[in-house]
Amino acid sequence: MWQHASVAGDTDAPVGMPHPDDDYTPTQRDLPVITRDPGPDATPTLVDAPVPAAGEEAAGPLYVVGDVHGYLDELRAALLDVGLIDAEHHWAAGNARLWFLGDFTDRGPDGIGVIDLVMQLSAEAAAVGGYCKALLGNHELLLLGAKRFADTAVNSGAGTASFQAAWLLNGGQRTDMERLQEHHLQWMSRLDAMTLADGHLLLHSDTTAYRDYGSSITTVNDAVTEALERRDPDETWDMFRKFTKRFAFRDDDGAQVARDLLETYGGRQVVHGHSPIPYLLGEAPAKDGADADGERTVHIEGPHLYAEGLAVGMDGGVTMDGRLLVARLPLTD
């Protein structure tokens, strides 16, 4: 049985569970933060690679990656396991297509290393007829805000807040901020919010808030990019708050919500990150991912298919000792 605690204007939010309602504002810690020793491999992997120009999609297989949150070693291992990179961490998949669903930084030890790897793979894949692309996650918005606006007060909906405070509270790593450079900021600020690939509507957050920015994929992406270009702290905070909402497809009406979103933007299935699969299942793990006897309480076998098959959850909960997920689409039984 869940215990409950007051959360910024709410009295029914379970402890440790993110709040799904429209009034949710991220002014307290959202999910558990697991601290790991970054080890000797967590050195910068700076690759100043431009985002490849958009072109026709290759005919290779389509893969998606869930939330990485700074776990560079786990990402490398997962990509190597499915043959997308080689042992030296270079693109090895020819004309394959790879989409990251956002949230590259925070909570884990090497978020900048993750971004550098994605940028590197983007250039390498494009050179051989494939592609590696990425979507904007709420943690990219959080990091952009912390860098651009720091302690500037914003209207959080529950009093004043700041990006810097929210970033630190939600797993911001000072080593990431120290290594963050202008080309990282430019890359993040140009990321699309959503895309359509082989009938799959790819987005970061399991929310309908994308509708606030337009009724087509192009208008949403243009509106998000233009908003970030204006560099207004309150506007950026409002976008961050909206894309932090979750669980739109989880409850009894989730399938209909997914259908409505697909009718608006196209596609047969929504594929998202953001909400860890244990939370989608209503199973919050222990803070460190293990029970009192040291046994793991998070057992993620793969993506979570739900909402009558219309939604796929890709956040395997790597930050809570779950699993960093890489999956080929369409999913097979």
Side-chain angles (χ1 to χ4, degrees):
M1 177 68 68
W2 290 110
Q3 294 179 331
H4 292 80
S6 178
V7 179
D10 171 64
T11 57
D12 296 315
V15 173
M17 286 288 285
H19 184 256
D21 291 347
D22 287 345
D23 291 335
Y24 172 67
T25 184
T27 53
Q28 70 170 22
R29 182 172 294 169
D30 182 51
L31 292 171
V33 178
I34 308 301
T35 302
R36 300 185 183 180
D37 182 359
D41 293 329
T43 54
T45 56
L46 182 59
V47 179
D48 191 3
V51 176
E56 293 185 0
E57 290 191 354
L62 175 65
Y63 292 85
V64 289
V65 182
D67 300 38
V68 182
H69 281 302
Y71 287 95
L72 178 60
D73 290 343
E74 288 82 351
L75 174 60
R76 287 169 170 167
L79 295 175
L80 179 64
D81 187 56
V82 297
L84 288 169
I85 65 172
D86 60 25
E88 285 72 44
H89 315 136
H90 294 291
W91 183 259
N95 68 344
R97 297 167 292 157
L98 177 62
W99 276 100
F100 284 82
L101 300 181
D103 277 11
F104 303 103
T105 68
D106 304 337
R107 301 196 175 108
D110 197 3
I112 300 302
V114 170
I115 292 175
D116 288 335
L117 178 61
V118 176
M119 294 173 69
Q120 168 202 317
L121 294 178
S122 296
E124 293 176 349
V128 294
Y131 68 65
C132 170
K133 300 182 181 182
L135 296 179
L136 181 73
N138 62 302
H139 278 263
E140 281 69 66
L141 291 169
L142 186 57
L143 182 59
L144 280 166
K147 179 65 175 179
R148 289 177 172 176
F149 311 123
D151 290 323
T152 300
V154 294
N155 184 1
S156 72
T160 57
S162 73
F163 273 103
Q164 178 75 5
W167 174 71
L168 289 171
L169 195 61
N170 285 282
Q173 303 294 302
R174 295 185 185 278
T175 52
D176 282 346
M177 187 64 74
E178 291 167 358
R179 294 161 51 200
L180 184 64
Q181 298 186 33
E182 182 60 30
H183 71 275
H184 297 127
L185 295 170
Q186 292 178 1
W187 181 80
M188 287 189 290
S189 65
R190 292 196 302 261
L191 294 177
D192 285 342
M194 62 195 318
T195 195
L196 190 64
D198 293 357
H200 302 284
L201 181 63
L202 309 182
L203 35 80
H204 173 69
S205 303
D206 46 327
T207 179
T208 61
Y210 295 91
R211 284 179 168 163
D212 293 348
Y213 296 91
S215 58
S216 73
I217 291 173
T218 298
T219 56
V220 170
N221 290 336
D222 288 348
V224 168
T225 299
E226 291 165 6
L228 290 176
E229 288 175 348
R230 285 190 286 271
R231 300 195 179 201
D232 178 87
D234 285 316
E235 185 176 24
T236 305
W237 179 269
D238 186 58
M239 186 188 306
F240 166 61
R241 182 186 63 82
K242 288 176 178 177
F243 290 157
T244 305
K245 297 175 184 177
R246 57 177 89 240
F247 302 146
F249 319 120
R250 189 188 66 171
D251 297 327
D252 291 342
D253 63 344
Q256 186 58 51
V257 174
R259 286 190 192 94
D260 291 343
L261 200 69
L262 291 166
E263 183 176 347
T264 299
Y265 297 114
R268 302 182 304 273
Q269 188 178 63
V270 178
V271 181
H272 68 86
H274 188 48
S275 290
I277 291 171
Y279 289 112
L280 291 173
L281 295 172
E283 301 170 355
K287 184 177 181 181
D288 62 356
D291 63 18
D293 297 321
E295 296 294 326
R296 291 182 61 183
T297 59
V298 180
H299 300 280
I300 303 299
E301 299 299 328
H304 176 49
L305 182 66
Y306 69 113
E308 298 179 10
L310 296 176
V312 176
M314 282 295 302
D315 184 350
V318 66
T319 65
M320 54 187 70
D321 202 27
R323 182 180 174 190
L324 197 159
L325 295 178
V326 179
R328 182 172 175 175
L329 297 177
L331 298 180
T332 57
D333 294 333

